[in-house]
Amino acid sequence: MYLSRFLSIHALWVTVSSVMQHYPSVWGHYDVCKTQIYTEEGKIWDYMACQPEATDMTKYLKVKLDPPDITCGDPPETFCAMGNPYMCNNECDASTPELAHPPELMFDFEGRHPSTFWQSATWKEYPKPLQVNITLSWSKTIELTDNIVITFESGRPDQMILEKSLDYGRTWQPYQYYATDCLDAFHMDPKSVKDLSQHTILEIICTEEYSTGYMTNSKIIHFEIKDRFAFFAGPRLRNMASLYGQLDTTKKLKDFFTITDLRIRLLRPATGEIFVDEQHLARYFYAISDIKVYGRCKCNLHATVCVFDNNKLSCECEHNTTGPDCGKCKKNYQGRPWSPGSYLPIPKGTANTCIPSISSIGNPPKFDRIWPNISSLEVSNPKQVAPKLALSTVSSVQVANHKRANVCDNEFLHCQNGGTCHNNVKCQCPAGYTGILCEKLRCEEAGSCSSDSGHGARAQGSLTLLVALLGITGPHLF
């Protein structure tokens, strides 16, 4: 009898060992990833949540103009200075490189003199509106980390809207309105970001701050990302942990700084006055010399590297995840539901690694759920149905501090075999399965299981033995 018991325990140990070796020794925490953080000494690298380094994302975008023939130079035309309508010695000619102003000049490296810029046709068809949509697309979800900065070579437009898309241009939402007169242009009271607060940070505003003036130092339009970050991280962004915590727990806030596309809608060029001078329409046009969009690939905190290959950005996914944004578990690594990595607990975060599907590892017992690195399994109350879990690697969730254990919660107490958790007190099992966690074949109760369906009974027996080895009595688990 003792030999039989020893052999059974040995067999179970081999099985459990074969499963557990696929889990990292510190499951759930980042110990190989690093990111830039702000300190009193400036920016430094520290080990915490995995995310690619922020960079100038305009190096990877595609630009589209609507209408497509709005760029000046075909046919060639002369344009005048806004400040002096009689100074008309500037020419745009698409067939001559030195006189052409194509869209890609919005994103080239500056520093040459004279500066390079894209330019639209002049307002020669007035009173028809001179309107242009400039769409910037990445074919990838990115997260903004710094201000969007648009530098105009012409006067800043009298009316403009900055829009964003989260679904690759299928739908659009306004980011910010710009006008010399917000009330007249968009029926909105003028505001600046300084008028916002933590509670109103997602408010879409109209600002008059960037829509007047034609001086050399008045050519820039901002969409202030950093000023919004400062509501949580402080004026000099020294408390990034607070910002990361907010981004981690507030989906709307995170989505606010996430885009797949940007659209600049130029609705009315700079006129410098209320009325358009119809005698000198060649002085009205749009010209942009530079656009800056700083951000990083969105990889759901599952990658530190984002590569640009075949004109496409993609995350080099870690933690057994896959997809353009590391948004799902790899095949054979679906032993727990996919979830993004977490910044919490600060400073190291939680990786939320995808774990192997049990059926993909040799021939261990075919139950759908194993908890890696179990620091303790205890039943704190004999009336509780399910064991209380204490996972040392998920302190942000603090399962061990629950006042009472749930029967299921779709996170750590997972209904098996396709079951769904109902109000944390019952697993609703699919046809053919029963039990607290849908872990048993229904045919077992009727004694009609075929040999092919016997894996459920074997799984339950092995799991019961494992629990017994850990000092938990069977009735509390099943």
Side-chain angles (χ1 to χ4, degrees), residues 350-364:
T350 308
N352 292 329
T353 303
C354 289
I355 65 176
S357 306
I358 303 305
S359 59
S360 69
I361 308 173
N363 292 304

Side-chain angles (χ1 to χ4, degrees), residues 144-202:
L144 300 174
T145 61
D146 206 336
N147 294 353
I148 297 170
V149 182
I150 306 170
T151 304
F152 283 83
E153 190 67 19
S154 64
R156 296 182 292 192
D158 285 352
Q159 296 176 15
M160 183 189 111
I161 307 174
L162 182 65
E163 297 178 323
K164 61 170 283 189
S165 176
L166 259 173
D167 54 11
Y168 304 98
R170 288 187 287 273
T171 60
W172 295 90
Q173 304 87 43
Y175 237 169
Q176 190 152 293
Y177 295 87
Y178 302 81
T180 54
D181 188 331
C182 286
L183 198 59
D184 179 67
F186 302 115
H187 308 290
M188 299 172 67
D189 291 324
K191 283 188 178 181
S192 70
V193 173
K194 297 178 180 65
D195 298 320
L196 301 178
S197 67
Q198 284 190 9
H199 303 293
T200 60
I201 190 173
L202 304 183

